[in-house]
Amino acid sequence: MADPKAHILVTDDEKAIRNTLKDILEFEDYKVSTAESGKEALEFVSKENVDLMLLDIKMQGMDGIETLKQIREKGIGVPVIMISGHGTIEIAVEATKIGAYDFLEKPPDLNRLLIAVRNALSQKNLEKENQQIRKKLPSIQPIIGESKSIQKIKDLIDKVAPTRSRVLITGDNGTGKELVAKWIHEKSPRSGGPMVEVNCAAIPADLLESELFGHEKGAFTGAAEQRIGKFEQANEGTLFLDEIGDMGLDAQAKVLRALQENKITRIGGSEAISIDVRILAATNKDLEQEIADGNFREDLFHRINVIPIKVPALKDRRSDVPLIAEACLRSLKERDISFSKVTFTDDGLEALKERDWSGNVRELQNAVERLGILAPDHKIDEETVNSILSSKTSASDKLDALAEGISDFQEFKEQAERVFLIKRLEKNDWNISKTAEEIGIQRSHIYNKMNKYNIER
């Protein structure tokens, strides 16, 4: 029998036809509504959810063709089967051109009618499934580049992702290590599970163990309730340990044990909890040197370094700079209409290509946004790149722009403070503890100011 949830609207100005079709379809367990005119049908589908429409062509007032046109003009995508007692090829062609799914002649053959109805509903269900699949498609930005080094990274991701092997991703700040980790997870059999990220450098050493393994209520002062750690949150998924080179030795020992036993114990608890987690780790440090200096455990290094992936610096793949810059500009245009007229010239892209990007892709992204805002006549050419991105004047230019654009002293102080904080956080790769120590304020104050000024990494 048919899906009882399928709702069909029968539209015909002949009551006998409406009732006959209604009886047939209700016998097949469809929900059926009727309309006696095109106007009534149009009003109905504008207010109610309908899965399929049977529409007579020859009706008094608004005929079926005009009704279908108006339905489509309103953006209503319900499949429509046209029915006519005066069917011609010309009418069938016209109906198909404006979006009819099928065309039946009166009186419709019962089997032909039911087959057409089932096929139309099947197509609608398929379109729904496709929409749901499209919604689930990864929203992760692509890894942009055509250089040999970046193609090698993409090939490695394709080979490594389907496995359970642990991966250590290395590279300078801003090269895209996190993006590589996300694509490994996305292309893995675990993509349906969670990917949980932990920035080991941003969490104080005394809190990292609780963050990773969780704690029981009352385990320590301030533990007012039970907390599930990142290992448990990532169960049947992926745990990404970013900046693992900044993890303290005590935490390293406990992580090593968790990887050896595939079990963890919450702080203050006694129960061993089994975990099924794939570990991806990243660092901008030379871990072998850290091992030699006594800062990193060699046994943990060998546990996480099953598959090493080194992400190249931007200076080592200069040919990708124009592609990345244009992708950054497209992204800005999608989220902010004020960038809609901004364009690159060939010499502007070449000038970007020749610059040294010590901050790698992250620095390039910020530079493109700055150029898009400040470029005269919305055109980013060589002269614009060299003048706006001058390392000697960019900081003072930004303060000058603030002073020119803001008349209120308090607002100027806040905006200047925001700029200063962002620059320091970027310099320290968003390591809160390191930034707080460097500028001489408490970590909690930095978090408060990040919330106040809506600062995100």
Side-chain angles (χ1 to χ4, degrees):
M1 299 296 278
D3 181 354
K5 294 181 182 178
H7 186 188
I8 301 175
L9 175 65
V10 175
T11 304
D12 198 299
D13 59 359
E14 295 183 50
K15 185 176 181 180
I17 296 292
R18 290 199 307 272
N19 290 340
T20 299
L21 291 174
K22 186 173 186 291
D23 290 343
I24 291 171
L25 295 170
E26 285 184 338
F27 183 78
E28 295 292 319
D29 280 348
Y30 294 112
K31 176 184 176 183
V32 183
S33 299
T34 61
E36 61 180 352
S37 68
K39 182 181 178 182
E40 185 181 337
L42 188 59
E43 291 175 353
F44 190 92
V45 297
S46 298
K47 298 176 182 178
E48 301 287 339
N49 289 325
V50 175
D51 297 302
L52 175 64
M53 187 172 176
L54 300 184
L55 179 61
D56 187 23
I57 290 181
K58 296 293 183 180
M59 294 185 296
Q60 292 182 359
M62 187 191 302
D63 67 12
I65 295 294
E66 181 60 29
T67 303
L68 179 57
K69 285 181 180 177
Q70 293 202 28
I71 287 172
R72 293 298 180 246
E73 286 173 2
K74 285 179 174 289
I76 300 170
V78 58
V80 176
I81 297 175
M82 307 297 291
I83 302 176
S84 176
H86 311 278
T88 66
I89 293 176
E90 289 78 12
I91 292 175
V93 169
E94 183 182 2
T96 303
K97 282 182 178 179
I98 58 176
Y101 175 76
D102 205 344
F103 184 90
L104 300 176
E105 291 188 39
K106 286 183 179 179
D109 175 77
L110 179 59
N111 289 331
R112 173 80 174 86
L113 169 68
L114 294 178
I115 289 172
V117 167
R118 290 179 190 131
N119 288 344
L121 290 172
S122 294
Q123 177 170 304
K124 180 174 176 63
N125 290 335
L126 185 60
E127 289 173 355
K128 281 184 178 178
E129 290 174 6
N130 287 338
Q131 290 174 356
Q132 291 172 352
I133 290 171
R134 282 193 291 271
K135 287 180 181 178
K136 292 179 181 177
L137 286 175
S139 57
I140 308 170
Q141 65 185 85
I143 298 175
I144 299 168
E146 298 175 356
S147 60
K148 288 183 178 179
S149 57
I150 211 66
Q151 190 56 55
K152 183 179 178 182
I153 296 291
K154 293 177 182 178
D155 291 342
L156 268 172
I157 291 172
D158 289 338
K159 289 180 181 177
V160 169
T163 72
R164 296 174 58 91
S165 299
R166 297 175 187 132
V167 181
L168 177 62
I169 307 164
T170 59
D172 295 341
N173 289 336
T175 51
K177 299 186 293 294
E178 182 180 352
L179 186 58
V180 170
K182 287 181 176 179
W183 275 112
I184 292 173
H185 172 75
E186 187 62 39
K187 292 191 172 189
S188 76
R190 294 172 176 259
S191 59
M195 178 173 177
V196 178
E197 301 177 35
V198 181
N199 187 329
C200 302
I203 302 171
D206 55 342
L207 296 179
L208 184 58
E209 186 179 345
S210 173
E211 188 77 13
L212 291 172
F213 305 109
H215 60 251
E216 299 292 352
K217 181 178 179 179
F220 50 83
T221 303
E225 57 185 22
Q226 184 190 72
R227 175 173 182 171
I228 304 301
K230 300 298 187 183
F231 269 93
E232 283 184 80
Q233 292 175 32
N235 195 45
E236 297 185 354
T238 303
L239 180 62
F240 176 46
L241 299 175
D242 197 9
E243 302 302 345
I244 195 171
D246 291 275
M247 183 183 287
L249 289 171
D250 288 343
Q252 289 177 36
K254 293 184 172 76
V255 168
L256 175 64
R257 183 176 178 182
L259 299 188
Q260 288 172 332
E261 300 178 357
N262 292 320
K263 292 180 180 179
I264 59 102
T265 302
R266 298 187 197 121
I267 298 175
S270 57
E271 178 188 359
I273 302 168
S274 296
I275 52 168
D276 175 16
V277 173
R278 183 184 189 178
I279 298 293
L280 305 178
T283 183
N284 60 356
K285 293 186 174 181
D286 181 347
L287 290 189
E288 292 182 324
Q289 184 60 51
E290 291 296 305
I291 292 168
D293 294 340
N295 298 324
F296 202 84
R297 294 181 63 110
E298 185 173 8
D299 45 6
L300 178 58
F301 172 74
H302 292 305
R303 284 278 177 179
I304 62 175
N305 192 39
V306 178
I307 304 291
I309 296 181
K310 181 171 177 58
V311 184
L314 206 49
K315 66 182 180 180
D316 298 324
R317 55 179 185 115
R318 291 182 183 272
S319 62
D320 291 333
V321 169
L323 295 174
I324 298 170
E326 290 185 314
C328 292
L329 183 57
R330 283 196 301 272
S331 178
L332 288 169
K333 289 180 178 181
E334 288 172 2
R335 71 172 193 257
D336 191 337
I337 195 170
S338 63
F339 290 92
S340 59
K341 295 181 180 179
V342 180
T343 58
F344 281 109
T345 63
D346 290 342
D347 65 344
L349 289 171
E350 191 63 28
L352 289 176
K353 183 177 172 182
E354 295 305 314
R355 295 184 72 85
D356 289 324
W357 299 101
S358 59
N360 294 293
V361 176
R362 190 177 299 141
E363 182 187 5
L364 177 57
Q365 290 172 333
N366 294 338
V368 171
E369 184 169 357
R370 193 182 320 150
L371 290 166
I373 294 171
L374 302 178
D377 300 322
H378 307 293
K379 185 174 66 174
I380 304 175
D381 56 16
E382 181 180 10
E383 182 180 354
T384 301
V385 170
N386 291 334
S387 62
I388 291 178
L389 299 186
S390 171
S391 60
K392 293 181 180 179
T393 60
S394 60
S396 60
D397 282 348
K398 186 167 283 189
L399 285 175
D400 287 346
L402 285 175
E404 288 290 331
I406 299 174
S407 56
D408 182 78
F409 181 60
Q410 182 61 31
E411 184 180 354
F412 172 79
K413 283 202 305 181
E414 290 179 352
Q415 290 296 328
E417 187 175 49
R418 184 179 190 276
V419 169
F420 172 77
L421 193 55
I422 289 173
K423 296 296 290 184
R424 291 296 179 177
L425 286 166
E426 287 177 344
K427 176 188 173 186
N428 293 314
D429 197 31
W430 295 82
N431 185 322
I432 306 295
S433 299
K434 187 175 180 181
T435 303
E437 182 180 350
E438 182 179 278
I439 65 178
I441 67 174
Q442 295 179 12
R443 290 176 65 256
S444 59
H445 290 176
I446 290 188
Y447 283 118
N448 290 338
K449 291 182 184 297
M450 288 175 71
N451 288 329
K452 177 180 179 181
Y453 300 136
N454 195 26
I455 296 173
E456 296 181 357
R457 178 169 184 168

